[in-house]
Amino acid sequence: MPLISMEKAERKCKAEEMDFWEAVRLWDAIEQDITTEDSWKEMEKMWQAMLDSLHSYDPNLTSGSGLVGKEGGQMQAYLEKGDTLCGDFMSKVIANALKMGCNNACMKRIVAAPTAGSCGVLPAVLVTYYEECGAPWDTMVQSLYVAAGIGQIIGSRAYLAGASGGCQAEIGAASGMAASAICHVKGGGISEIENACALALKNLLGLVCDPVAGLVEIPCVKRNVVGAMNALSSADMALAGIESKVPLDQVIDAMKEVGDDMNPNLKETGSGGLAATPWAVQVKEDLHM
Ligand code: SF4
């Protein structure tokens, strides 16, 4: 059975007394025609790749356009002064989201989750928590299954690409996936996982895709920060027992409808929103694009 509905997934998990992450691992093994052990090994490699990618950030690099690259280092230097508004943990989340967004723009190896443009959201939330709060390795790998399962439901019912549904489908989806994943790490069950994702997605509904000069740099790098911080606040709300009144499947369906109604100028064509500002038009001209 493909993973197309949170409601159905919840029913199956309850009937078979299985955690959501276990159900996703089983679906993955069936889909790939491999054992659950081999599926786990693949997911471990994915987790290791996320850690490696974040640690490979180089503050001296800039993207080919020269527009981004140093932001991760700037935030790191600022947080080390110990006087941020957001506090130590959240400031590290911000720095890590920026580092990963810059890594992608600088053509370094990243884990698309779900896309390259939104690759900073999951590591900013999960790697920061892992390194700052000391969660077990296996729990982190399990959380990637949670994220993958949520991503699959979003992809099945709506989209996972800015060109199809706007940035709500990239940063929005990544934020929902990260919210659910960190809920699992914090001991939340399937109901908290569902609510965290629904709350996160709702907060970013309608977000347009408007990359300057068509490059996945501005506003993409900094939007990873918003996705990560939204994921954490949504997860905390869900863990506090706050529910999304609209069920997750229906939130995703609304996201699809919003994406369908979105003007094509706002779907990765680089011709609307921020991409159409005079500054962005000048940048595009200067880059001879
Ligand atoms: S603005 Fe577009 S290209 Fe950039 S992260 Fe969002 S969806 Fe991806």
Side-chain angles (χ1 to χ4, degrees):
M1 181 181 78
L3 201 46
I4 54 167
S5 154
M6 194 63 187
E7 194 193 331
K8 281 188 192 155
E10 200 168 349
R11 271 209 305 271
K12 185 178 166 68
C13 288
K14 279 188 181 148
E16 299 187 15
E17 293 182 354
M18 201 185 267
D19 275 351
F20 182 62
W21 77 266
E22 287 178 295
V24 178
R25 182 177 65 167
L26 192 57
W27 278 308
D28 178 56
I30 292 168
E31 195 178 85
Q32 292 202 69
D33 197 17
I34 56 174
T35 64
T36 51
E37 289 77 17
D38 284 344
S39 166
W40 178 268
K41 280 182 203 152
E42 278 187 21
M43 201 56 106
E44 279 191 309
K45 281 189 201 156
M46 209 75 85
W47 174 238
Q48 186 63 57
M50 252 182 209
L51 290 163
D52 293 345
S53 180
L54 186 54
H55 297 149
S56 78
Y57 172 73
D58 180 350
N60 299 311
L61 286 183
T62 48
S63 60
S65 69
L67 290 171
V68 297
K70 299 191 182 302
E71 290 82 351
Q74 287 174 289
M75 189 64 206
Q76 184 69 39
Y78 171 64
L79 83 84
E80 280 168 12
K81 288 183 193 155
D83 189 30
T84 63
L85 291 168
C86 292
D88 196 47
F89 179 78
M90 286 307 250
S91 299
K92 283 179 181 153
V93 168
I94 296 171
N96 286 341
L98 291 169
K99 287 176 186 176
M100 288 298 294
C102 291
N103 277 350
N104 178 56
C106 294
M107 301 293 163
K108 299 196 82 166
R109 187 169 183 244
I110 51 98
V111 177
T115 62
S118 58
C119 72
V121 178
L122 273 163
V125 171
L126 297 178
V127 176
T128 311
Y129 189 84
Y130 177 65
E131 294 187 337
E132 297 303 312
C133 307
W137 172 274
D138 283 3
T139 305
M140 302 315 297
V141 179
Q142 291 169 7
S143 78
L144 286 191
Y145 278 108
V146 171
I150 292 290
Q152 198 183 346
I153 295 172
I154 297 172
S156 308
R157 301 183 81 89
Y159 340 79
L160 292 172
S164 310
C167 200
Q168 59 170 358
E170 291 201 14
I171 294 292
S175 191
M177 290 161 67
S180 294
I182 196 68
C183 253
H184 171 75
V185 174
K186 289 284 285 174
I190 195 158
S191 156
E192 285 84 13
I193 285 170
E194 173 178 359
N195 278 301
C197 181
L199 292 166
L201 275 183
K202 280 157 64 175
N203 293 342
L204 296 176
L205 215 61
L207 188 64
V208 301
C209 173
D210 49 356
V212 170
L215 300 168
V216 187
E217 299 184 10
I218 297 173
C220 319
V221 170
K222 291 154 199 149
R223 275 194 190 156
N224 279 277
V225 174
V226 168
M229 296 188 83
N230 179 53
L232 285 162
S233 55
S234 298
D236 260 343
M237 281 193 276
L239 290 164
I242 297 167
E243 294 179 341
S244 166
K245 303 294 183 202
V246 185
L248 177 57
D249 288 338
Q250 293 179 38
V251 172
I252 299 170
D253 293 345
M255 174 185 165
K256 165 94 167 64
E257 211 176 306
V258 169
D260 286 347
D261 285 346
M262 207 176 266
N263 189 303
N265 287 343
L266 303 170
K267 292 202 260 191
E268 213 172 331
T269 49
S271 52
L274 293 171
T277 57
W279 178 83
V281 171
Q282 188 61 53
V283 165
K284 198 173 170 185
E285 266 179 42
D286 293 347
L287 292 170
H288 307 296
M289 296 179 79

